[in-house]
């Protein structure tokens, strides 16, 4: 309650400006309409086309460029916590509008959504886990159970600037399961950005070794 009052006061005194162009944004999203149109690119990928054999499908909403790239960097590196609910709103509204996210999710099958866990050191600095902040509000609305199924067991170098082979090596074995038993049958694996798919693939491999049957990856933005 208090936080929503504070958020309301904040929005009255500090109107939100679009990270892409600086124009005031009136809606609940993070971007203005022209900046959103510039990077809007909802698409599904076949896992093998991205060398992700443990995944069963991938869906990305935007290109990782322009305003969304700036917004994610601000949320990651400049402590702009105020952008988190707006980023969540971009995903929620985008998926709703697109209605292209329609893998056959069998009713009554045990399904959960989980995020790629942030490196513990970076999470401590940042104070939040970006994938969870972006996807959890949408899961709540859709009735998908959110569970933190993965743990990052060691720090990794930032993937930026590494070759695909180096990325795979960097990330190999860095996840463990938060529990060994009673895992869901289907997992929606969520991350803010997908670059080469190597992080999603490694997480999917870990989940499937634990007995998860299908893993679908979702990312707000991708460079693919
Ligand atoms: Zn803009």
């Amino acid at each position: 309650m208090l936080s929503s009052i504070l958020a309301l006061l904040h929005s009255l005194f500090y109107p939100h400006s679009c990270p892409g162009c600086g124009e005031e944004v009136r809606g609940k999203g993070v971007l203005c309409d022209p900046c959103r149109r510039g990077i809007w690119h909802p698409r599904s990928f076949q896992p093998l086309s991205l060398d992700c054999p443990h995944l069963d499908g991938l869906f990305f909403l935007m290109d990782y460029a322009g305003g969304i790239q700036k917004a994610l960097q601000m949320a990651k590196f400049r402590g702009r916590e105020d952008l988190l609910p707006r980023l969540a709103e971009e995903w929620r509204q985008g998926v709703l509008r697109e209605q292209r996210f329609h893998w056959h999710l069998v009713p009554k099958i045990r399904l959960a959504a989980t995020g790629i866990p942030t490196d513990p050191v970076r999470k401590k600095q940042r104070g939040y886990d970006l994938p969870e902040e972006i996807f959890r509000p949408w899961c709540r609305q859709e009735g998908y159970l959110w569970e933190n199924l993965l743990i990052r067991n060691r720090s990794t170098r930032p993937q930026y600037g590494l070759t695909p082979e180096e990325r795979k090596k960097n990330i190999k074995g860095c996840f463990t399961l938060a529990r060994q038993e009673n895992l869901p049958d289907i997992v929606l694996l969520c991350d803010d950005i997908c670059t080469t798919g190597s992080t999603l693939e490694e997480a999917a491999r870990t989940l499937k070794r634990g007995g998860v049957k299908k893993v679908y990856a979702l990312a707000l933005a991708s460079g693919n």
Side-chain angles (χ1 to χ4, degrees):
M1 183 68 182
L2 182 63
S3 64
S4 61
I5 292 171
L6 288 175
L8 179 67
L9 286 172
H10 189 272
S11 67
L12 285 175
F13 291 105
Y14 304 98
H16 169 66
S17 52
C18 171
C21 66
E23 286 293 313
E24 188 180 330
V25 176
R26 295 189 180 274
K28 289 182 177 174
V30 78
L31 301 178
C32 72
D33 291 341
C35 284
R36 185 179 302 108
R37 276 197 294 275
I39 45 92
W40 186 251
H41 188 191
R43 59 215 186 272
S44 298
F45 269 91
Q46 289 300 321
L48 293 180
S49 70
L50 288 180
D51 193 19
C52 298
H54 290 89
L55 284 170
D56 295 279
L58 300 99
F59 177 83
F60 312 138
L61 194 58
M62 302 171 176
D63 286 330
Y64 185 57
I68 200 69
Q69 184 171 12
K70 285 188 189 154
L72 287 169
Q73 286 174 347
M74 286 157 108
K76 277 187 168 176
F77 307 116
R78 307 225 308 256
R80 288 289 303 275
E81 208 170 330
D82 59 301
L83 299 182
L84 300 176
R86 291 182 176 274
L87 285 165
E89 195 62 15
E90 288 290 344
W91 171 261
R92 197 188 68 77
Q93 283 189 15
V95 168
L96 202 69
R97 181 146 54 110
E98 193 48 32
Q99 298 198 325
R100 252 211 277 172
F101 169 71
H102 52 192
W103 292 308
H104 187 55
L105 302 176
V106 187
K108 291 192 182 162
I109 206 157
R110 290 180 309 155
L111 180 144
T114 198
I116 296 288
T118 306
D119 184 296
V121 178
R122 274 173 248 160
K123 184 175 174 179
K124 204 169 177 193
Q125 289 164 349
R126 215 171 275 166
Y128 47 82
D129 195 272
L130 198 53
E132 183 171 354
E133 297 290 338
I134 294 173
F135 290 90
R136 200 167 177 164
W138 167 72
C139 288
R140 197 178 300 130
Q141 179 189 304
E142 294 292 321
Y144 299 144
L145 179 69
W146 180 277
E147 291 191 278
N148 293 318
L149 296 173
L150 294 165
I151 296 167
R152 216 179 253 263
N153 55 35
R154 61 175 168 85
S155 286
T156 51
R157 290 159 63 198
Q159 295 277 76
Y160 180 78
L162 301 183
T163 66
E165 279 312 307
E166 287 170 333
R167 282 171 190 253
K168 272 189 208 166
K169 215 170 156 185
N170 185 35
I171 209 94
K172 184 98 182 165
C174 78
F175 299 119
T176 41
L177 292 168
R179 62 169 191 267
Q180 299 294 331
E181 284 159 22
N182 198 24
L183 287 167
D185 298 312
I186 298 183
V187 170
L188 302 177
L189 180 61
C190 306
D191 206 0
D192 50 325
I193 311 165
C194 171
T195 313
T196 61
S198 54
T199 307
L200 291 167
E201 165 60 18
E202 181 59 17
R205 193 178 72 87
T206 309
L207 289 164
K208 286 204 164 167
R209 283 177 69 181
V212 173
K213 293 184 183 71
K214 290 200 181 288
V215 181
Y216 297 100
L218 306 171
L220 178 63
S222 172
N224 286 289

